[in-house]
Amino acid sequence: MTAPAETETLGLVRLLAACRDDAAALAAALDQLGIAICLYDTEDRVVLWNESYLAFFPEQREAIAPGTPYADTLRRFFGVNLAESQRDRLERHVEAAVQRHRTQTAPFTFQLRSGRWLKVASLPMPAGGRVRLWRDTSEEQPATTRRSADRALASLDVGYAVFDGAGRFVTANKRYQELFPGIGDLVNATATYRDHLARIERDSVLEEDRARLARVAARPLPTALPVSLPLLLRHADGGWLSLEERVGEDGTLVAIWSDATRQVEADARIGELERHLRDAVESMPHALLMFDREGRLVLRNRRLAAIDQGLARALDAAPTLVRYAAWRAGFGDVSGEDAIRGDEEVTLPDRRTVAIAPFTTDAGEMLILLSDITREKAAEAELARQKDLAHQNEKLAAMGSLLAGVAHELNNPLSVVVARAMLLEEQIVDPQAGTGVRVLRQAAERCAGIVRTFLAIARAKPRERRPLALGKVLAAVADILAYGLGADDIALEIAPVPAAAMVEAEEDALHQLFLNLLVNAQHALRGAPKPRRIAVTVAVSGGSVEVVVADNGPGVPAAIRGRIFEPYFTTKQQGEGTGIGLSVCHAIVSSHGGTIAVDDAPGGGARFTVRLPQAAEAVQTEAPRPGAPASVRGRVLVVDDERDITDVLMEILTRQGLEVTVARDGMEGLLRLEEGPCDLVITDLRMPGMDGAGLLARLAERPPALRPPVIVLTGDVLSWSRARPAFDPPPLVIEKPFDPAALSQAVREALARRA
């Protein structure tokens, strides 16, 4: 059929306008020319159409009627002819086409999904409304255009095969035969679509998927519904195949096959990522709510029910941002947008605290996180309490540092006093004078013991436990408190302590425990009538050591006994106590696996009972004091910046027959060693210039055969333990104040090892 010219189309419009009353007859006449016509009124509603129109657009046949809006016909048209990827934009296409319909004057050409090309004219009617005329121009398309289209189809990375309305093979592209190498003998006019599917099922599909493909082949052709959504099948050689079908207006069927391996792997990866995201959202410690821009709830996790079941039920009934805002407004004087803005905390009826943090995403969605922070709030309160405790501990630490500094400064002069007293005691033969010197020595030793106790309590020693005799610990604490108790006219009575009263403990902690208990009793007795008395008894029973500290003061009222071990709880007047002494006692006892309790002492007053596990080791008896040192030979280098110390060391060592050389610091000691060999080095740690640690480091660089043994004589054992240099053999450490006899014994042993 020869297509009418454009002028003829305009003439038809004029004729239609002139013969409007007999438009149906004219439409029928246009059918004979293969021209489709559709007439629309001024509101773009369908007035008239012909059979050619329905042949071009079969999707309209069951729905078109007089008065049908043009937009509805477009929706059906695009629903069939749009690509799958464009289906979600159907309304945009409809809106654009309606606008084009109202303004289009020039004819244009378009292609149906079936492949047919149509030319359409859209012109206004003189009396109002519009008319559209279509005609098939497929045969008029240039041959080069058809060849280009054929080449483009052949180059696609999909395999396709075309079958006619009876299901007979028409054509296929190269990719189709590459996907299915065994299909070659079926590429002929006698083979059917079912033959092709049966061959693919046999050669190219895994057995577990063959039944699915067999069901597709069993459909009657070509009237069966096509496979419009991809049918995924596992390839026998690995990977995946995808099948889609398209049916043309004339019943022609196109089977489209593609390698879907990457797509399946990508879908699996997406599924895995979605699962990870879902697991991450569900495992969050927060309740999560997400609302879209219209305020609809689009995401929530199960944590919400744990935060507030009432809110979870409310959102089940009405999943909207408005319902959430109403819930939030129930916890304060807020409403509207104020209920969903800003970080805040609310207290639920069950007294739990919930933190709310709203966020707005880049897409304008609302994300809300709800967290139960009840424990965090309690931890904040505890932290504040601990800060107060730390402040008090800082004051105690400052006092302890001062005490440790004073004690350390006393070490050197006390070392001189103790050593000189012992040397004098050995030299004096007059009994009366000897008694005086012995009293002097004992007093000096007592001072040295008190200093060592001060250091044990005040300095931050490494926490190491060892068997301790409670008798010695209590005696040391009594020495510290002797003056204060005497000034307050308080008698301290410590009953004989059994030798088996041994505990595995940190020495400084044990000193602190009993010092606190005795000081607490001392404070309680200051206002009590005389006589004032503190009694300490120790008993061993059933693997435990029990220490009872009782006083005859006012006692502890029963109403507050449950609180006296709380930090900062005190009954003392302002400025008389910190309120942490008994809490420290409780902590020390608990850390050692023991218990502490308070009750009334017999006859009135308070009685504190401490129970600690008994140590497994037996009591170590103190070794007898060595007698006069035996004579030895050798050269000793003494390195110390205190002249009094070097003088007494020189006297002790020369009495043993040793040659002594003195140096004031480590550098001078090295120079003395260069002057001549040395059999032993005795050095202090803390000195100006090169200290003892520096001297040891330099000595360690020497060959072992040229390295003399070393005795470290120090009042700061802690510093030595922290900064001990590598030295082989390890130096012997003697703490100041030192016992001359013990020092002499250590010197003899060191020289014997040297020999």
Side-chain angles (χ1 to χ4, degrees):
M1 179 183 68
T2 304
E6 302 303 328
T7 55
E8 293 175 344
T9 301
L10 293 174
L12 287 173
V13 173
R14 297 190 186 98
L15 179 61
L16 182 62
C19 305
R20 189 180 185 96
D21 295 336
D22 199 13
L26 181 59
L30 292 177
D31 278 332
Q32 298 179 19
L33 297 176
I35 297 175
I37 182 173
C38 192
L39 183 65
Y40 306 89
D41 64 16
T42 56
E43 301 297 328
D44 286 335
R45 294 189 294 263
V46 173
V47 175
L48 176 142
W49 65 94
N50 67 351
E51 187 63 28
S52 295
Y53 173 83
L54 297 177
F56 286 170
F57 310 113
E59 73 277 358
Q60 308 290 345
R61 183 176 296 277
E62 302 298 328
I64 195 167
T68 300
Y70 177 54
D72 288 353
T73 66
L74 287 172
R75 289 187 181 92
R76 287 189 289 273
F77 170 77
F78 286 127
V80 172
N81 289 280
L82 274 181
E84 294 286 346
S85 61
Q86 295 293 316
R87 295 288 173 85
D88 60 341
R89 302 175 185 171
L90 185 143
E91 289 301 324
R92 294 185 186 179
H93 288 280
V94 170
E95 182 180 353
V98 169
Q99 184 63 30
R100 188 166 56 246
H101 167 72
R102 293 171 179 171
T103 59
Q104 187 83 32
T105 57
F108 62 93
T109 303
F110 66 94
Q111 187 179 28
L112 298 175
R113 193 161 188 179
S114 63
R116 297 174 67 182
W117 288 88
L118 299 180
K119 191 168 188 177
V120 59
S122 177
L123 296 170
M125 297 291 292
R130 296 187 74 86
V131 64
R132 292 178 77 88
L133 301 171
W134 295 265
R135 64 186 178 87
D136 191 333
T137 61
S138 299
E139 297 300 325
E140 299 175 18
Q141 297 302 311
T144 55
T145 302
R146 293 197 299 272
R147 286 195 299 272
S148 297
D150 291 342
R151 285 195 297 270
L153 288 172
S155 66
L156 291 176
D157 193 28
V158 297
Y160 70 84
V162 181
F163 301 86
D164 63 18
R168 293 186 296 269
F169 176 80
V170 177
T171 185
N173 70 346
K174 181 180 179 182
R175 180 61 175 154
Y176 179 76
Q177 298 182 57
E178 290 175 350
L179 286 173
F180 309 115
I183 209 79
D185 60 320
L186 296 180
V187 182
N188 59 71
T190 61
T192 66
Y193 186 42
R194 288 182 179 177
D195 295 335
H196 281 243
L197 291 180
R199 181 68 56 82
I200 293 171
E201 174 191 337
R202 186 194 71 187
D203 295 345
S204 301
V205 177
L206 284 182
E207 184 175 355
E208 50 263 38
D209 281 353
R210 289 175 182 172
R212 298 171 62 203
L213 189 57
R215 286 194 293 271
V216 173
R219 297 168 303 163
L221 291 174
T223 59
L225 290 175
V227 180
S228 57
L229 295 177
L231 175 66
L232 294 176
L233 304 165
R234 278 164 288 193
H235 199 291
D237 295 334
W240 291 80
L241 292 170
S242 171
L243 168 63
E244 295 181 70
E245 296 175 346
R246 296 289 183 267
V247 178
E249 295 176 3
D250 57 356
T252 301
L253 183 141
V254 181
I256 304 170
W257 292 87
S258 60
D259 185 342
T261 304
R262 290 187 179 181
Q263 176 189 341
V264 171
E265 291 175 348
D267 290 344
R269 180 58 179 160
I270 291 173
E272 184 179 7
L273 292 175
E274 289 177 347
R275 180 179 61 80
H276 289 328
L277 177 60
R278 183 172 59 255
D279 292 345
V281 170
E282 291 297 342
S283 63
M284 290 175 62
H286 317 285
L288 181 145
L289 299 171
M290 177 174 279
F291 300 90
D292 63 17
R293 299 177 66 177
E294 283 72 40
R296 296 184 296 259
L297 180 64
V298 295
L299 181 64
R300 61 183 278 187
N301 62 357
R302 59 173 173 260
R303 179 65 179 161
L304 180 64
I307 296 292
D308 192 318
Q309 291 185 353
L311 175 58
R313 288 192 295 268
L315 291 177
D316 286 339
T320 64
L321 185 58
V322 173
R323 187 65 191 86
Y324 165 79
W327 170 85
R328 168 61 191 91
F331 299 101
D333 188 18
V334 293
S335 61
E337 292 185 356
D338 292 338
I340 54 175
R341 287 185 176 176
D343 293 355
E344 54 187 340
E345 297 175 2
V346 298
T347 302
L348 302 184
D350 59 4
R351 304 187 65 82
R352 288 183 299 123
T353 303
V354 173
I356 303 175
F359 305 91
T360 301
T361 68
D362 292 340
E365 297 170 326
M366 175 64 69
L367 178 67
I368 299 174
L369 298 178
L370 299 95
S371 309
D372 187 339
I373 59 170
T374 306
R375 292 184 178 180
E376 288 80 354
K377 298 294 287 186
E380 287 179 6
E382 175 64 17
L383 180 60
R385 191 183 67 81
Q386 292 293 340
K387 285 183 178 179
D388 291 339
L389 176 62
H391 178 64
Q392 295 293 336
N393 287 340
E394 285 177 3
K395 293 193 293 184
L396 291 177
M399 295 176 61
S401 297
L402 176 62
L403 183 63
V406 171
H408 184 268
E409 290 301 320
L410 288 174
N411 267 325
N412 282 336
L414 274 177
S415 296
V416 175
V417 173
V418 170
R420 288 295 183 188
M422 289 183 177
L423 292 175
L424 284 173
E425 191 176 1
E426 294 174 2
Q427 296 174 2
I428 295 177
V429 294
D430 180 12
Q432 186 174 359
T435 300
V437 172
R438 184 165 59 255
V439 171
L440 174 63
R441 175 181 60 79
Q442 291 173 347
E445 287 179 340
R446 181 183 176 192
C447 290
I450 292 173
V451 168
R452 281 193 292 268
T453 302
F454 280 168
L455 288 173
I457 293 174
R459 66 191 177 189
K461 294 173 60 179
R463 293 185 174 275
E464 53 183 36
R465 298 184 181 183
R466 59 186 180 86
L468 297 173
L470 276 181
K472 291 185 177 181
V473 173
L474 292 172
V477 172
D479 283 345
I480 294 175
L481 296 178
Y483 178 80
L485 293 173
D488 288 334
D489 202 8
I490 298 172
L492 174 61
E493 302 170 0
I494 300 178
V497 180
M502 298 280 292
V503 293
E504 191 90 13
E506 302 165 14
E507 187 171 3
D508 56 341
L510 216 56
H511 280 86
Q512 185 74 51
L513 167 65
F514 294 113
L515 186 64
N516 285 0
L517 288 176
L518 291 175
V519 168
N520 191 67
Q522 178 185 0
H523 288 174
L525 287 169
R526 280 177 178 167
K530 298 178 182 180
R532 302 166 185 159
R533 179 175 58 84
I534 301 174
V536 180
T537 59
V538 181
V540 179
S541 176
S544 295
V545 178
E546 180 182 272
V547 182
V548 177
V549 178
D551 62 65
N552 62 345
V556 180
I560 65 171
R561 287 178 188 171
R563 297 192 59 197
I564 63 171
F565 295 112
E566 295 180 5
Y568 301 116
F569 179 81
T570 180
T571 58
K572 300 182 179 70
Q573 297 296 322
Q574 182 71 26
E576 292 187 2
T578 63
I580 64 172
L582 290 179
S583 67
V584 171
C585 291
H586 186 275
I588 292 173
V589 172
S590 298
S591 68
H592 285 76
T595 62
I596 183 171
V598 61
D599 62 355
D600 291 330
R607 179 173 63 181
F608 287 84
T609 303
V610 175
R611 289 185 178 86
L612 296 169
Q614 184 183 16
E617 296 187 19
V619 178
Q620 299 293 323
T621 58
E622 186 175 348
R625 182 182 300 276
S631 178
V632 291
R633 292 288 183 270
R635 180 170 179 256
V636 179
L637 172 63
V638 175
V639 185
D640 199 305
D641 61 318
E642 290 280 347
R643 183 177 296 277
D644 291 338
I645 294 292
T646 57
D647 288 348
V648 74
L649 287 174
M650 182 176 293
E651 184 170 345
I652 293 171
L653 297 173
T654 53
R655 285 189 178 190
Q656 292 183 260
L658 296 169
E659 179 185 350
V660 180
T661 302
V662 175
R664 299 303 174 189
D665 62 15
M667 186 57 70
E668 185 179 349
L670 292 173
L671 294 175
R672 296 291 177 266
L673 289 173
E674 294 297 329
E675 295 173 357
C678 181
D679 299 299
L680 176 66
V681 174
I682 300 176
T683 180
D684 190 13
L685 273 186
R686 299 175 63 177
M687 295 177 290
M690 180 184 288
D691 60 8
L695 173 61
L696 288 173
R698 294 289 295 273
L699 291 177
E701 298 173 359
R702 298 188 172 196
L706 302 179
R707 188 185 308 153
V710 177
I711 294 177
V712 174
L713 197 62
T714 180
D716 190 5
V717 176
L718 177 61
S719 295
W720 164 257
S721 63
R722 287 177 176 172
R724 183 193 302 266
F727 197 85
D728 187 31
L732 177 65
V733 181
I734 298 179
E735 190 171 5
K736 296 177 182 178
F738 57 87
D739 182 338
L743 175 63
S744 299
Q745 180 65 28
V747 169
R748 287 196 299 273
E749 292 175 358
L751 292 175
R753 288 196 300 270
R754 173 72 167 176

